[in-house]
Amino acid sequence: MPITPATATHSPSNGTADAILLELVDEDGVTIGTAEKLAAHQPPGRLHRAFSVFLFDEYGRLLLQQRALGKYHSPGVWSNTCCGHPYPGEAPFAAAARRTFEELGASPSLLAEAGTVRYNHPDPESGLVEQEYNHLFVGMVQAVLRPDREEVASTVFVTPPELAERHAKDPFSAWFMTVLDAARPAIRELTGTSAGW
């Protein structure tokens, strides 16, 4: 696994770990500052930049990931292919490509912007709040997946009916349907109408 600021262990001279900073934004997505990651998710939440990736195989099936059980936020739930936060000053596209490789061990063979969506989703399990200005990306993955088990418990490719069946019985992230619905026009453009998205 590549070492990045998100995965490296930092040990400054005072013995504390470096904080992971997120980019705070206004309602138009303009950067207004930074905040430590956990602090930004404490109620009521601070609006920050995020990204969500939806990758598909050559059959038009969506790659879902089940978040690792050890994650502090939304552990064990199913969600879109990859999601996360750019570092301050990092382009959302670069962050999406970087994080997809870090989590899944595979780079997208195609990745395109699919708009933005702003939402406020409290997580009833953790008490944390997703107050995000989210950049959406759609694309394809053809490489063999090698998930980082610290991040990803499981993966599966699903058709729309398989997603509906899984969504009815398994827990999903609080933000999943919001980002999926916002990305649907770009998903349909990518997969074609026959895929059913």
Side-chain angles (χ1 to χ4, degrees), residues 131-146:
Q131 182 96 245
E132 295 187 330
Y133 187 93
N134 198 302
H135 298 256
L136 307 171
F137 298 92
V138 301
M140 297 188 68
V141 63
Q142 296 168 309
V144 174
L145 302 177
R146 293 180 176 82

Side-chain angles (χ1 to χ4, degrees), residues 142-161:
Q142 296 168 309
V144 174
L145 302 177
R146 293 180 176 82
D148 175 356
R149 294 302 174 195
E150 299 274 318
E151 299 286 340
V152 181
S154 186
T155 60
V156 64
F157 284 95
V158 295
T159 63

Side-chain angles (χ1 to χ4, degrees), residues 22 37 40-50 67 72-74 83-85 118-123 126-134 173-176:
L22 307 184
K37 183 178 178 181
H41 289 89
Q42 297 287 348
R46 300 183 70 188
L47 184 60
H48 58 275
R49 195 176 308 285
R67 294 166 62 86
Y72 76 89
H73 190 343
S74 302
C83 52
H85 309 92
R118 190 257 194 257
Y119 54 79
N120 179 356
H121 286 302
D123 176 38
S126 67
L128 299 175
V129 177
E130 289 290 356
Q131 182 96 245
E132 295 187 330
Y133 187 93
N134 198 302
S173 64
W175 61 88
F176 176 74

Side-chain angles (χ1 to χ4, degrees), residues 85-108:
H85 309 92
Y87 299 126
E90 182 182 27
F93 184 94
R98 168 183 61 77
R99 200 66 191 131
T100 298
F101 182 78
E102 289 173 353
E103 291 190 7
L104 297 167
S107 293

Side-chain angles (χ1 to χ4, degrees), residues 3 20 32-33 39-40 46 57 63 67 82 86 97 100 117 122 132 135-136 140 142 150 160 177 193-195:
I3 301 298
I20 295 174
I32 58 172
R46 300 183 70 188
D57 66 9
L63 175 59
R67 294 166 62 86
C82 180
T100 298
V117 62
E132 295 187 330
H135 298 256
L136 307 171
M140 297 188 68
Q142 296 168 309
E150 299 274 318
M177 287 309 298
T193 55
S194 62

